[in-house]
Amino acid sequence: DAGVIQSPRHEVTEMGQEVTLRCKPISGHDYLFWYRQTMMRGLELLIYFNNNVPIDDSGMPEDRFSAKMPNASFSTLKIQPSEPRDSAVYFCASSLAGRLYQETQYFGPGTRLLVL
Amino acid sequence: KQEVTQIPAALSVPEGENLVLNCSFTDSAIYNLQWFRQDPGKGLTSLLLIQSSQREQTSGRLNASLDKSSGRSTLYIAASQPGDSATYLCAVVGLKTSYDKVIFGPGTSLSVIP
């Protein structure tokens, strides 16, 4: 398997624009996680899915952020409208079924987002 | 509210030295604790997972210990190599509210000098 795939790897956009980040988890993994990493706040869990269903979105910073998982092989994280403070590295991770956080999470390479 | 800290923030050691990285958490009611490695510009790689009922886990040259009562975990790296250079993060999964809450430490940046 190619591992967790994220696209784009880098994104530069202007404030107010819509940004869509994409993730393809490892085949057969039932859990999918979206994280954000900044120098100020470190690594934070935004939302996670189990079998395509959002389970906990309490980490989503505000209504401008939304995430979907229309099928087992694809998820999106959308920011609309984007703001400079959204600039960060966004990671997607997936893990096998089982108890949450009992299975190893496999991280994608991340998307570096810069909002000007 | 659970807070996770890591000391030191950065560490530079000569190759071959044994070293210890520290992770502290304020709420001892945890589900498990994990250590991750992050290479520059890349995602995290899981190293070790310690259940709340366990005291330590070992993988190769890595050994992680957990002392819940004191809110501490250590990652011991034996015979360090330049390839060990990376940022090491610990993450705690809380038990009180739900299994869902994971808090990451800020990380320790390790540099092993050849």
Side-chain angles (χ1 to χ4, degrees):
Chain A
D1 201 311
V4 176
I5 299 173
Q6 291 187 247
S7 65
R9 293 294 310 276
H10 302 272
E11 177 81 23
V12 180
T13 189
E14 293 186 346
M15 182 174 64
Q17 296 298 307
E18 177 179 297
V19 175
T20 299
L21 311 180
R22 298 172 177 81
C23 175
K24 181 182 185 329
I26 293 173
S27 178
H29 282 192
D30 292 322
Y31 284 95
L32 183 140
F33 308 82
W34 281 101
Y35 293 90
R36 177 174 69 174
Q37 187 174 39
T38 63
M39 287 293 293
M40 289 296 295
R41 299 176 65 89
L43 191 65
E44 302 171 289
L45 175 66
L46 300 178
I47 184 172
Y48 78 92
F49 295 82
N50 181 19
N51 291 320
N52 313 337
V53 176
I55 302 300
D56 183 3
D57 65 354
S58 60
M60 297 284 263
E62 47 195 278
D63 292 344
R64 297 184 297 106
F65 286 69
S66 63
K68 294 182 179 180
M69 192 165 185
N71 56 63
S73 60
F74 183 66
S75 177
T76 60
L77 178 66
K78 186 174 294 185
I79 308 172
Q80 166 62 19
S82 59
E83 297 182 3
R85 60 194 168 117
D86 301 330
S87 298
V89 181
Y90 291 82
F91 290 103
C92 176
S94 69
S95 68
L96 286 168
R99 300 179 71 177
L100 180 62
Y101 288 107
Q102 292 295 82
E103 298 285 348
T104 299
Q105 289 188 42
Y106 295 85
F107 279 72
T111 295
R112 291 185 175 275
L113 173 65
L114 178 60
V115 183
L116 302 174
Chain B
K1 178 185 174 183
Q2 179 74 275
E3 292 184 4
V4 181
T5 55
Q6 291 186 246
I7 295 173
L11 182 63
S12 182
V13 300
E15 180 177 2
E17 192 165 294
N18 302 325
L19 58 98
V20 174
L21 308 180
N22 298 289
C23 172
S24 297
F25 46 95
T26 55
D27 189 343
S28 61
I30 66 169
Y31 185 54
N32 64 41
L33 183 145
Q34 296 189 53
W35 283 93
F36 293 87
R37 167 187 174 138
Q38 185 174 26
D39 292 283
K42 297 190 177 180
L44 276 66
T45 300
S46 179
L47 297 174
L48 291 164
L49 183 152
I50 310 177
Q51 303 295 343
S52 62
S53 59
Q54 296 176 321
R55 304 276 298 182
E56 65 177 341
Q57 281 287 335
T58 298
S59 176
R61 294 182 295 109
L62 305 180
N63 176 278
S65 67
L66 175 64
D67 185 343
K68 269 199 322 177
S69 60
S70 66
R72 293 179 184 175
S73 176
T74 61
L75 179 65
Y76 175 83
I77 303 177
S80 59
Q81 302 171 359
D84 295 331
S85 298
T87 297
Y88 291 80
L89 296 91
C90 65
V92 172
V93 179
L95 186 59
K96 276 187 178 175
T97 53
S98 74
Y99 293 154
D100 308 333
K101 306 303 179 185
V102 61
I103 306 296
F104 283 83
T108 293
S109 177
L110 173 65
S111 178
V112 181
I113 311 301

